[in-house]
Amino acid sequence: MADARLLDTGSTPLRFARGWHCLGLAESFRDGKPHGVQGFGTKLVVWADSRGELNVLDGYCRHMGGDLTQGAVKGDNIACPFHDWRWGGDGRCQQIPYARRVPLRARTQRYETAVVNDQLLVWHDPEGSPADRSILPPQLADLDTYTDWIWNAEHIEGSHCRELIDNVVDMAHFYYVHFAFPTDFRNVFEGHTATQYMQSKGRPDKAGGYGSAELFLKSEATYYGPSYMVNWLDVDYKGFETEVILINCHIPTGPDSFLLQYGITVKKPEGLDDKTAAFIASKYAEMFGSGFLQDVHIWKNKVPVQNPLLCEEDGPVYQLRRWYEQFYVDVADVRPEMTDRFEFEVDTTKANEFWQVEVAENLAAMAAQESDDASVPAEA
């Protein structure tokens, strides 16, 4: 058809986002061994020195390309398994055991680090600027009153990480993918942050994800930069109220792949022992983890769309993408429309009217099916 709208699938960016990216729980790297993490189109090597400080370098030795993640921690340095060149956390070669001196230009790619909320973050910038510590994610208060982090990771192939970011404004997918009714939904973008405020209840006709008629959520989720989101959740399940913090973060591994990581911690309810609190945290980790897997299924089967055709209930997709673009251009090219404050509230009235009718019809059909099943006599 001549007037049919065509999909513009575009092309993936030629660079990776500027900003702070999370590699995982800091303690997992403090075992005296080198660790490999895929990121920014290469492999990174992570290790702890004798003081417990975490260091991150490009994972390949600048001498002859040896894989430093297969080497060994020797003193404060990471030693290459190929020729034992030893690299310090400052990115300089500190020692070549068989050589009289170290070449003056023996330097490699170093990533500045920070530990926030028990997680290791690294700074990445294609322009090579020093780390901007003023835009680090916030350190969460009173974490000692919460359970230990339950941490999970899922590698996503065939999707650019913008697919994940689009969810910030996508009200309707919570109903169709995560089985929830968003009753209030609004967004605020400003500077390097993008926030989603939502209240929702579970669908009684679905199980899995957020699907439960007795589940109510009050959510505030903020991206601090391109890849690290803190989601504060007040959860009411059958009258039992719980404060949950969800960390949703990712690191790009290639032009159209990324490592999705998410962690859950639950404020320990008064009167409950640590074991019971940890059990509650594990159940919420399963619930939110299943939600991420529902998204993963969508991402693996969709195509990118640069020119989405939208209705007003779809939220400010284009404004969010302008906000996100600031991390993919040089700092000198960041425009005011990428960082100026922007607010938008989705009117959920029409959606909830339709969804209530649909759920009622589904429940009636389910009840009729159960009645038919019960009327069929069992085989002798």
Side-chain angles (χ1 to χ4, degrees), residues 92-351:
R92 297 174 180 269
C93 181
Q94 302 294 327
Q95 184 184 8
I96 306 171
Y98 62 86
R100 287 192 299 271
R101 59 182 177 271
V102 175
L104 292 176
R105 298 181 63 185
R107 300 184 183 183
T108 188
Q109 175 67 50
R110 168 183 177 261
Y111 293 85
E112 293 188 65
T113 64
V115 175
V116 179
N117 302 323
D118 305 325
Q119 296 134 32
L120 173 62
L121 279 65
V122 295
W123 173 260
H124 175 268
D125 183 5
E127 293 184 90
S129 69
D132 186 348
R133 297 182 182 274
S134 70
I135 59 172
L136 273 167
Q139 174 62 47
L140 299 171
D142 303 322
L143 274 181
D144 57 336
T145 65
Y146 285 72
T147 61
D148 292 338
W149 289 105
I150 297 176
W151 200 260
N152 292 282
E154 182 83 18
H155 194 245
I156 312 298
E157 294 279 357
S159 292
H160 189 268
C161 41
R162 193 184 69 180
E163 301 290 337
L164 173 61
I165 304 299
D166 277 348
N167 281 0
V168 171
V169 297
D170 191 348
M171 180 274 295
H173 96 285
F174 281 96
Y175 175 83
Y176 295 104
V177 178
H178 301 311
F179 310 143
F181 285 95
T183 54
D184 291 284
F185 195 96
R186 66 185 180 94
N187 293 113
V188 178
F189 314 143
E190 186 172 21
H192 72 292
T193 65
T195 302
Q196 173 199 95
Y197 298 92
M198 180 177 69
Q199 294 186 43
S200 68
K201 58 183 180 180
R203 285 178 60 175
D205 62 328
K206 293 287 187 178
Y210 305 158
S212 171
E214 297 170 297
L215 180 68
F216 297 87
L217 290 177
K218 184 177 181 181
S219 169
E220 178 182 332
T222 298
Y223 267 99
Y224 294 91
S227 68
Y228 188 97
M229 186 190 82
V230 182
N231 190 179
W232 291 269
L233 292 151
D234 292 329
V235 185
D236 184 332
Y237 181 63
K238 296 182 178 181
F240 185 76
E241 298 181 0
T242 311
E243 294 180 34
V244 178
I245 296 176
L246 166 67
I247 299 295
N248 165 19
C249 56
H250 65 271
I251 180 170
T253 55
D256 57 357
S257 62
F258 59 95
L259 179 66
L260 170 67
Q261 299 187 81
Y262 54 96
I264 292 282
T265 184
V266 171
K267 189 167 187 178
K268 300 173 185 175
E270 292 185 13
L272 292 185
D273 56 65
D274 288 350
K275 183 177 180 180
T276 303
F279 175 78
I280 293 172
S282 70
K283 289 301 179 183
Y284 282 126
E286 289 177 13
M287 182 183 77
F288 291 111
S290 68
F292 279 120
L293 293 178
Q294 290 164 330
D295 280 322
V296 169
H297 178 74
I298 297 292
W299 297 330
K300 286 183 176 179
N301 292 279
K302 74 182 294 295
V303 295
V305 182
Q306 305 302 319
N307 62 334
L309 179 62
L310 305 175
C311 64
E312 62 184 274
E313 283 81 5
D314 285 323
V317 174
Y318 286 104
Q319 290 87 345
L320 175 69
R321 290 182 176 185
R322 278 196 290 272
W323 170 85
Y324 188 58
E325 187 183 358
Q326 68 178 287
F327 307 112
Y328 286 87
V329 299
D330 290 350
V331 171
D333 296 326
V334 175
R335 303 185 303 275
E337 59 262 32
M338 298 176 183
T339 57
D340 285 349
R341 184 177 179 88
F342 175 86
E343 299 186 41
F344 188 91
E345 183 168 359
V346 175
D347 185 347
T348 64
T349 305
K350 174 62 177 178

